[in-house]
């Protein structure tokens, strides 16, 4: 497996001191924010990585701009492009990554205070992360309704439509609206519990951010809510958000899966992590 360690380009504080403080109990309430970057190694492309990200592959669909594919106003008159790519976004029977397994291990050790995920793939639950510790800020694929009249739509018909890349339509003939999964589109509001849960970030003693470009609000604002003096660790291919502005920021730039393996090595959890992931 990939064991190369990845350099932690850190200012004050570094990955070793974070690991030490987890081991000695000074860090025990870890708040996590994840994005598409933790699912790329499971086979789900992210959105903004050059060439491999979804938004660089949408030219054939002739959208006014890439993110229109997830905008409710565009979907309401042109749902076809969304269903053209739905299958590639849907987890189907994909296996969670070792990064998901690391978060499950944090929960198992009573160290996961709360996880905000921007992802809709649901791999957090498959990895065994307790659902009461997770907020799917951008919704998920679990249910679907007519975008117009909100009538529910059967799961099996939805699965078939996603598989075939066809637009499913409202069961009420007189309505004719396209069916939309319960994911949060641009132009829609996040689940109401997002506002309730935001304050949880201030209760954390480590802010861990993984696999996100921090380009989409309001999730992108969460890392800034970490209390002053609380270490913030970014595990990501690239710098993101305001990481680096605080002296306690630590950035492990590289693949998430390598970063969590390095962290597990420092914590003495590596075998436990690999086993947990294998059994996921
Ligand atoms: N390891 C580490 N970082 C990775 C990896 C990886 N294997 N793969 C990708 N990344 C990084 C990219 O460099 C990028 O910084 O993860 C980030 C992914 O950013 P985006 O593609 O913008 O995804 P995300 O931040 O989750 O997007 C937020 O935008 O399109 C909307 O609603 C959608 O939830 C999504 C939101």
């Amino acid at each position: 497996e990939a064991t190369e360690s990845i350099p932690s380009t850190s200012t004050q504080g570094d990955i070793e001191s974070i690991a030490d403080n987890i081991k000695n109990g000074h860090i025990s309430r870890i708040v996590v924010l994840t994005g598409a970057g933790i699912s790329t190694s499971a086979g789900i492309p992210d959105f903004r990585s050059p060439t491999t990200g979804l938004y660089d592959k949408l030219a054939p669909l002739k959208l006014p701009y890439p993110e229109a594919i997830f905008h409710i106003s565009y979907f309401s008159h042109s749902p076809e492009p969304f269903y053209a790519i739905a299958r590639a976004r849907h987890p189907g029977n994909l296996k969670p990554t070792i990064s998901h397994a690391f978060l499950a291990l944090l929960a198992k050790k009573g160290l996961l205070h709360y996880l905000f995920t921007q992802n809709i793939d649901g791999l957090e639950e498959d990895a065994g992360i307790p659902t009461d510790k997770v907020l799917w800020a951008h919704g998920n694929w679990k249910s679907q309704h007519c975008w117009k009249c909100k009538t529910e739509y059967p799961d099996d018909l939805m699965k078939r439509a996603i598989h075939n890349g066809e637009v499913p339509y409202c069961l009420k003939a007189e309505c004719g609206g396209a069916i939309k999964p319960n994911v949060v589109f641009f132009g829609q509001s996040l689940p109401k519990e997002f506002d309730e849960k935001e304050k949880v970030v201030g209760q954390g003693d480590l802010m861990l951010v993984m696999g996100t470009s921090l380009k989409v609000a309001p999730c992108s604002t969460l890392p800034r809510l970490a209390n002053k003096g609380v270490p913030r660790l970014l595990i990501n291919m690239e710098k993101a958000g305001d990481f680096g502005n605080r002296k306690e920021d630590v950035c492990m730039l590289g693949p998430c899966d390598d970063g969590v393996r390095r962290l597990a090595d420092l914590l003495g959890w590596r075998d436990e992590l690999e086993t947990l992931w294998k059994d996921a």
Side-chain angles (χ1 to χ4, degrees):
E1 65 257 345
T3 54
E4 72 274 1
S5 66
I6 52 179
S8 64
T9 55
S10 67
T11 48
Q12 199 228 355
D14 55 25
I15 190 66
E16 285 81 5
S17 52
I18 288 176
D20 288 345
N21 286 327
I22 291 173
K23 279 190 285 192
N24 65 27
H26 285 148
I27 289 176
S28 62
R29 291 188 311 283
I30 302 175
V31 177
V32 186
L33 169 65
T34 56
I38 70 160
S39 295
T40 49
S41 66
I44 304 176
D46 70 7
F47 298 93
R48 297 176 179 83
S49 281
T51 64
T52 55
L54 175 73
Y55 290 152
D56 269 3
K57 296 182 173 164
L58 297 176
L61 297 175
K62 301 200 180 345
L63 298 163
Y65 58 96
E67 286 162 330
I69 199 162
F70 297 122
H71 204 294
I72 187 64
S73 57
Y74 188 83
F75 181 86
S76 64
H77 59 73
S78 306
E80 296 77 6
F82 173 79
Y83 281 95
I85 57 100
R87 191 172 166 189
R89 308 300 312 160
H90 192 274
N93 52 8
L94 293 178
K95 179 180 169 70
T97 67
I98 195 153
S99 293
H100 292 101
F102 181 78
L103 300 179
L105 189 53
L106 286 181
K108 197 171 163 202
K109 291 177 179 289
L111 297 168
L112 179 66
H113 191 58
Y114 204 72
L115 166 63
F116 296 85
T117 183
Q118 301 171 88
N119 300 338
I120 60 172
D121 57 37
L123 291 178
E124 298 85 4
E125 196 167 353
D126 301 336
I129 302 168
T131 54
D132 65 324
K133 293 271 184 185
V134 186
L135 176 64
W136 280 274
H138 293 169
N140 56 47
W141 288 101
K142 284 202 181 101
S143 55
Q144 51 284 327
H145 298 77
C146 168
W147 78 268
K148 205 184 274 182
C149 73
K150 307 292 178 251
T151 302
E152 287 219 14
Y153 191 78
D155 291 352
D156 56 339
L157 294 182
M158 183 64 168
K159 279 198 172 43
R160 187 173 336 136
I162 291 168
H163 185 78
N164 299 337
E166 291 157 0
V167 180
Y169 285 96
C170 186
L171 296 178
K172 287 187 174 161
E174 72 279 11
C175 171
I179 301 302
K180 179 186 153 303
N182 286 353
V183 298
V184 179
F185 271 28
F186 291 107
Q188 294 190 307
S189 48
L190 272 68
K192 63 186 180 323
E193 59 263 34
F194 183 86
D195 296 334
E196 293 152 23
K197 283 295 178 188
E198 248 187 344
K199 59 178 174 300
V200 157
V201 179
Q203 298 163 359
D205 49 21
L206 171 65
M207 178 83 222
L208 171 58
V209 177
M210 298 168 61
T212 178
S213 62
L214 291 175
K215 289 225 169 68
V216 175
C219 286
S220 54
T221 65
L222 292 175
R224 288 201 289 274
L225 301 181
N227 284 342
K228 282 185 82 55
V230 166
R232 303 188 310 171
L233 171 59
L234 173 71
I235 305 181
N236 202 57
M237 289 308 283
E238 57 181 0
K239 274 288 189 74
D242 71 334
F243 270 87
N245 288 2
R246 299 188 189 189
K247 61 180 182 1
E248 300 86 5
D249 288 346
V250 178
C251 298
M252 290 177 84
L253 301 184
C256 291
D257 293 348
D258 296 355
V260 299
R261 284 191 162 110
R262 171 124 192 264
L263 204 41
D265 284 339
L266 291 169
L267 291 162
W269 301 351
R270 181 66 183 269
D271 292 344
E272 198 178 354
L273 173 65
E274 299 289 352
T275 308
L276 187 67
W277 180 44
K278 195 164 44 62
D279 301 345

